[in-house]
Amino acid sequence: MEEMKICPKEGLKLRKVGKQYMIVEACEGNVNMSHVYSLNQTAAQMWERISQGNCTPDDLAECLCEQYETDKDTATQDVKRQLAKWKAYGLIL
């Protein structure tokens, strides 16, 4: 069985302001600042990866294992937790 692909909601963009990362809704060249979601650097890297397309939770966990000294089980649990939050906020499909 194929693992689900993660798709960000259309129109969302990752922006970096200073040291802060945030997801904002952009439409027709404008940014809607009524809903801004702040991210730490790790979550921002995950968002960039899913924004490239064709990404699964397992892909994200593998990326975390490569970037940080963590085991696959811990990375998988962290990915699942973050994806659940993004899904609850309506940021991913």
Side-chain angles (χ1 to χ4, degrees), residues 68-69 84 89:
Y68 304 98
E69 292 182 21
Y89 292 139

Side-chain angles (χ1 to χ4, degrees), residues 30-44:
N30 297 317
V31 174
N32 179 353
M33 296 299 283
S34 61
H35 294 100
V36 175
Y37 304 90
S38 63
L39 306 175
N40 64 24
Q41 183 177 359
T42 303

Side-chain angles (χ1 to χ4, degrees), residues 2-3 9-11 13 15 30-31 34 37 39 44 51 58-59 69 77 79 87-89:
E2 188 174 324
E3 193 173 14
K9 178 181 160 186
E10 193 169 325
K13 302 293 180 191
R15 299 287 186 243
N30 297 317
V31 174
S34 61
Y37 304 90
L39 306 175
S51 294
D58 193 54
D59 294 333
E69 292 182 21
Q77 291 305 313
V79 166
K87 183 123 180 124
Y89 292 139

Side-chain angles (χ1 to χ4, degrees), residues 16-27:
K16 183 177 181 187
V17 179
K19 293 182 180 182
Q20 299 293 318
Y21 294 90
M22 62 186 84
I23 296 172
V24 296
E25 191 167 0
C27 57

Side-chain angles (χ1 to χ4, degrees), residues 44-56 59-60 63:
Q45 291 171 341
M46 288 175 56
W47 187 266
E48 287 176 336
R49 178 65 183 92
I50 68 169
S51 294
Q52 295 171 1
N54 203 28
C55 180
T56 66
D59 294 333
L60 292 174
C63 287

